[in-house]
Amino acid sequence: MAEHDDIDAPMLNGAALNGAALNGAALDWVVRTGSDAFDDWPAFHAWLEADPRHAAAYHAMSADIEEMAAYVPAEVAAPVVVAMPARRRWPVWAGGAIAASLALFVGYEAIETRSHPYAVETAAGAMRTVQLADGSSIAMGGATRLMLDRDDPRIATLERGEAMFVVRHDDSDPFEVIVGDARLVDVGTAFDVKHARGETGPETRVAVSEGAVDYNPGQGGIRLVKGQGLFVRDGKATVSAVDVASVGSWRDSVLAYQGATLAEVADDLSRALGIDLRADPTVAKRSFSGSIATAKLAGDPSLAGPLLGVAIRKRGGHWVMSSRS
């Protein structure tokens, strides 16, 4: 490993890096901050803050070094535990041991860098089921993005779209879903969560088909049990009854609604069919209750018009839901 003075300035001054250069810079910072003689924390923090990729690469590299170092013979050197800036502690071997562990990184740029929080996405019109290491599963609807963590299979963040969670319950380690600014904690559960755009901002829907879910547990929290749903708009949560049989029915290409706005229906159809369908302001707030079999609409969403009481026409590169007149 080159000494600090021999490293190109862009590796240390916060400039954007790519590929092998980024991995090299991250590896250098891992080694340097792992030394009890290191005291240049301002420069390290400046490098981390210069680009979000820097922190991701640093944490992935430090985790890989921990794993690789486990293969170094213990008699090479005694470990010294060093406090790390992110409130982590890990062993750093001096001399030959650190060199041996770093040697395992020859050709590292050819290896996919692990990102311990990682994204799973689906395209519009597609579905996917993710099996987690703890035995839980997550079914993802179209145009959905989840953030998961290889180090903690008991937490997921739904950034957008819709997902059905079937959770293996563990009282000592409850499963947690982050959605927007809220937390959902399972109480032995199967539940559906949707996080989508609304007229005035993001909207969240939760529906429970088995067990229970705590919404923002603690003072002021709400417990939802089987057959209950929650709708959150502009920070206000409303609880209502839901048809258990319809929870997660989108997995079978059926969208079920109880008093949803046509704007929400248009958004769901867009994700389910892989199209761009918009509700005209004149009909966006209309209420709809019923079920839509999306498999019958492939290629022609206008077929849903009579059921919804609107006309659905193509305009340019998108579809518009509007009044029949």
Side-chain angles (χ1 to χ4, degrees), residues 235-249:
K236 181 180 179 180
T238 304
V239 178
S240 62
V242 298
D243 178 9
V244 171
S246 70
V247 176
S249 61

Side-chain angles (χ1 to χ4, degrees), residues 154 168-175 185-186:
R154 303 290 290 173
R168 182 190 63 77
H169 184 65
D170 182 347
D171 285 329
S172 64
D173 187 15
F175 193 95
V185 178
D186 87 278

Side-chain angles (χ1 to χ4, degrees), residues 144-146 156-163 178-180 193-195:
T144 295
R145 178 182 169 92
L146 281 170
T157 299
L158 178 62
E159 295 191 345
R160 65 171 183 269
E162 186 165 14
I178 308 299
V179 53
V193 185
K194 179 166 63 178
H195 190 55

